[in-house]
Amino acid sequence: MIADGERVLFVHAHPDDETLDTGGTIATLVERGAIVTVLTCTRGERGEVIPDDLNGALESPESLAAVRTAELAAAMKALGVTDHRYLGDVNARWNGQPVRKYSDSGMEWGPRGAEPSARQDPGSLTAAEFSDVAADIAAVIVATQPSVVVSYDANGGYGHPDHIRTREAALRAAQVYAVPFYEITDRGSVAVDVSSVLARKRAALAAYRSQLTIDGDSVVLSGGQRRPIAPVERFELVVDRSSEPIPFSEQHPAARFFAAVIGGVIGVALGALLTVYNQITLPIGGQPIWIGAIAGILVVAAIFVGFRLAFATRVVPAFAALGMVAIVTVLSFETAGGSVLIPQNGPGILWEISPPVLAVLALAWPQGRRRGPGRISSQQVKGTRAS
């Protein structure tokens, strides 16, 4: 269940998108006492019109925008939203920047599905600088302090260029301010049961008379596509990996080889250096303490564990272990003069066996899995995780 005072920001490209994709979730959140903000990036100036009596709205982008903004206002009232904003307006614009209007970029259907329109308006959402779009969305995040941002998946649902730009900019803004980002997807593991608010969602959909028709338990869009008015809306948390290092296995082969060689060199160097001091003892209470061997063991353990954590792989610590074991083995041999650097006494034997034992322990240590951030789980909304 969403707690009272929870703040959720929905970012959508055109009027009607918020109701078609997330209308039930918006109404559910409002009923649960959440503070919901809906941010619409354009006014849908290049959409189509279904009923003949509204064909006059196609005379100009401004005429259609007027119709669709009125429909959006009615839909917001039906869903219970009191904080709706248009991207670029004074309440959705980066500090110090003059108010601007992002227009609908339009789209065309091609052999690969939705494609950008050949007629590009310089004031359209996709023609704008990405940094401007992301900054304006960030301004809303700063103003509303949401605990969650919701928008489209990577394909924008069905490929509309405005949807894709909206998702990319909203995701970037959310990442900058470390706000969990949920994408709309039919395969999402977070399922919100909206059956109790379907009447409100249907009322909001009915407001969009220019764009869709309600037919029983489905809506028919302007292009003839039929979509069910589903009692469940699904989302998925997008894990921010922008600041994570590239996994070792995905790095360039030359980089992996270099790291392995460096690991081996460090192993040889430390093995030789620590061997020199392995016989140092310190008498405490009349008993000799093997501080040289003990200190060496602690350093070796720290190196092996550090390499595992730093590189998230067994390769680099394995090369370090090979280098260290090899040099310790070589230095344990008798020299021409008959002396040895590692005598067969207590400290010497401890030092000889410690590197291979520590290497086995470090390499056998299971590799941990990274967990993504997120403060909202499926248990915090009315719904269950998909099996």
Side-chain angles (χ1 to χ4, degrees):
M1 301 290 290
I2 292 293
D4 287 348
E6 185 89 26
R7 296 175 181 270
V8 184
L9 171 62
F10 290 83
V11 186
H12 285 280
H14 315 105
D16 79 12
D17 290 332
E18 81 296 324
T19 303
L20 284 166
D21 294 325
T22 58
T25 301
I26 290 172
T28 299
L29 290 172
V30 171
E31 284 200 350
R32 297 291 184 270
I35 301 171
V36 176
T37 298
V38 175
L39 176 63
T40 308
C41 294
T42 78
R43 291 159 177 79
E45 295 91 341
R46 296 185 62 180
E48 299 171 329
V49 168
I50 293 177
D52 292 339
D53 62 307
L54 290 180
N55 281 339
L58 295 175
E59 294 178 356
S60 68
E62 293 74 21
S63 298
L64 183 54
V67 170
R68 298 193 69 177
T69 54
E71 292 176 339
L72 177 53
M76 292 294 94
K77 183 177 181 179
L79 296 177
V81 176
T82 57
D83 184 13
H84 172 262
R85 309 179 186 212
Y86 283 105
L87 191 69
D89 278 1
V90 66
N91 60 357
R93 186 77 166 121
W94 191 249
N95 292 340
Q97 299 300 312
V99 171
R100 68 177 295 176
K101 182 182 292 185
Y102 295 95
S103 63
D104 187 344
S105 305
M107 57 153 282
E108 298 173 355
W109 290 106
R112 293 176 295 180
E115 297 178 352
S117 174
R119 181 169 55 89
Q120 185 68 273
D121 182 346
S124 67
L125 183 67
T126 56
E129 291 288 338
F130 176 81
S131 58
D132 289 347
V133 180
D136 287 350
I137 296 174
V140 180
I141 292 176
V142 172
T144 62
Q145 294 293 299
S147 51
V148 167
V149 173
V150 181
S151 193
Y152 310 104
D153 63 11
N155 190 47
Y158 63 94
H160 195 297
D162 279 344
H163 288 215
I164 295 174
R165 171 54 62 89
T166 297
R167 179 264 178 31
E168 292 173 345
L171 176 59
R172 179 56 181 157
Q175 289 174 339
V176 168
Y177 288 95
V179 180
F181 181 95
Y182 281 81
E183 64 182 13
I184 306 158
T185 171
D186 293 337
R187 299 175 300 278
S189 61
V190 177
V192 183
D193 182 352
V194 302
S195 56
S196 65
V197 296
L198 274 185
R200 295 178 63 178
K201 182 175 180 177
R202 290 176 66 92
L205 289 169
Y208 290 109
R209 198 167 67 89
S210 70
Q211 300 300 304
L212 56 88
T213 302
I214 297 179
D215 183 12
D217 292 331
S218 301
V219 294
V220 182
L221 304 179
S222 58
Q225 305 94 329
R226 180 177 291 270
R227 293 179 53 174
I229 305 176
V232 174
E233 294 174 351
R234 292 182 175 273
F235 307 87
E236 188 66 50
L237 173 68
V238 177
V239 179
D240 180 11
R241 302 193 182 280
S242 61
S243 60
E244 292 185 2
I246 300 174
F248 186 81
S249 60
E250 298 177 13
Q251 294 180 13
H252 192 278
R256 285 182 283 166
F257 174 78
F258 181 75
V261 170
I262 292 298
V265 170
I266 291 175
V268 170
L270 277 177
L273 179 64
L274 296 173
T275 295
V276 172
Y277 297 101
N278 81 93
Q279 291 296 305
I280 295 178
T281 60
L282 180 66
I284 299 178
Q287 294 295 325
I289 305 300
W290 306 337
I291 61 170
I294 294 173
I297 292 171
L298 294 176
V299 171
V300 171
I303 289 296
F304 289 166
V305 172
F307 280 168
R308 277 299 305 273
L309 294 175
F311 292 94
T313 179
R314 292 182 173 89
V315 174
V316 177
F319 272 77
L322 286 174
M324 186 170 294
V325 171
I327 192 63
V328 170
T329 300
V330 169
L331 294 177
S332 66
F333 293 155
E334 292 188 2
T335 63
S339 63
V340 294
L341 289 173
I342 309 177
Q344 292 302 298
N345 56 13
I349 295 173
L350 180 62
W351 175 239
E352 282 183 335
I353 65 175
S354 294
V357 171
L358 292 172
V360 170
L361 293 175
L363 296 177
W365 174 22
Q367 185 70 39
R369 294 184 178 180
R370 297 181 183 273
R371 293 185 179 270
R375 291 173 285 179
I376 299 296
S377 68
S378 60
Q379 286 75 30
Q380 292 173 283
V381 292
K382 187 177 180 182
T384 58
R385 283 195 178 277
S387 58

